[in-house]
Amino acid sequence: MKNNTFHVILLLICAFFWGTTFAAQSIGADLVGPYTFLAGRSWLAVVLLTPVIHVIDYINDRKGKYSLKPKNEEQLRRLIITGIICGTFLCLASAAQQAGMAYTTTAKASFITTLYVVLVPIFSIFLKKKPPVQITVCVFISLLGMILLCLGKNILSGEALAVERGDALVILCAVLFALQVMSVAEFGPMVDGVRLSRVQFTVVAVESTVLMLLFEQPAAASIAAALPAIMYAGVFSSCVAYTLQIIGMKDVNPTLASLVMSLESVFGALAGWVVLGERMLPVEMAGGALMFAAVILAQIPLPQKKKSL
């Protein structure tokens, strides 16, 4: 029981870092382009994850635990291919999210991003996996929540209904994150999780650096000003949180783990309020609450009907 509680606390810390990073991203979005910010945090994550991998290998070797680290060229090839696929989706999703942060609030971005939890089972239809009825209900709840969150202000003021640029980018981010999660679920179980994270971030770092050089002209002064935000995102969100997620999920029920990590959206909204002084209208709060409820409901297993003898 104590061991389980400890791992739940690790996942709660993970959700806290992911949520508060939205505030850092918002600060960074005002100072540098999305690809510059993404490249900085990703290269930092690659550097920091390398000693983490060595420490985990050392602990596993001392305890005689089985390791998933590549033992031959075939396993190494599988790790690299999986990392390229998952990392490319992660790069696209993160870039869309970071670009959207320049035009929307931290609270909106955090709630909309977690929509990927509901989208994953819906997209699984294309893999011939029929989602349960509860997921269909969750989709309608989340859509209603998104309407209130993104269009509530327009509805109340009588303005023309139009999804703002930032919200649209973060919706695209949620779609891409859903595809990234599905890729990890499909290709990742047979490779080492921490090594996959490092390969993913290496792919993101390389791709975002190329995009930065093609489409942005980062100034040294702007990068220096954004450095604290980049470091927070790279250290605590990309490196620490992903490592805590891997460790924490080992001895926790997957449903409970998902519920705890869903608090990312709440921490994101709170960070926007405390750090950035952002405020949400009551209608936007209602929309965020509906989206959070849909995410929670999507992860609660319904009781199975007992088969009659």
Side-chain angles (χ1 to χ4, degrees), residues 227-276:
L227 192 58
I230 292 173
M231 291 185 66
Y232 188 90
V235 174
F236 293 105
S237 177
S238 298
C239 181
V240 176
Y242 272 91
T243 303
L244 292 181
Q245 179 195 25
I246 292 167
I247 297 172
M249 289 187 68
K250 285 186 176 180
D251 294 298
V252 177
N253 178 279
T255 300
L256 175 59
S258 299
L259 292 173
V260 174
M261 288 187 292
S262 295
L263 292 173
E264 167 192 356
S265 59
V266 178
F267 285 127
L270 290 174
W273 173 49
V274 174
V275 178
L276 304 176

Side-chain angles (χ1 to χ4, degrees), residues 10 13-25 37-38 41-42 44-46 48-49 90 94 97-98 113 177 197 200-201 228-246 261 264:
L10 292 183
I13 296 172
C14 168
F16 172 80
F17 284 143
W18 277 342
T20 52
T21 296
F22 281 100
Q25 289 179 259
F37 188 92
L38 187 55
R41 68 177 289 186
S42 299
L44 184 58
V46 172
L48 294 176
L49 278 171
L90 181 60
S94 300
Q97 183 187 64
Q98 185 61 31
T113 297
F177 265 130
S197 289
Q200 277 192 123
F201 284 121
I230 292 173
M231 291 185 66
Y232 188 90
V235 174
F236 293 105
S237 177
S238 298
C239 181
V240 176
Y242 272 91
T243 303
L244 292 181
Q245 179 195 25
I246 292 167
M261 288 187 292
E264 167 192 356

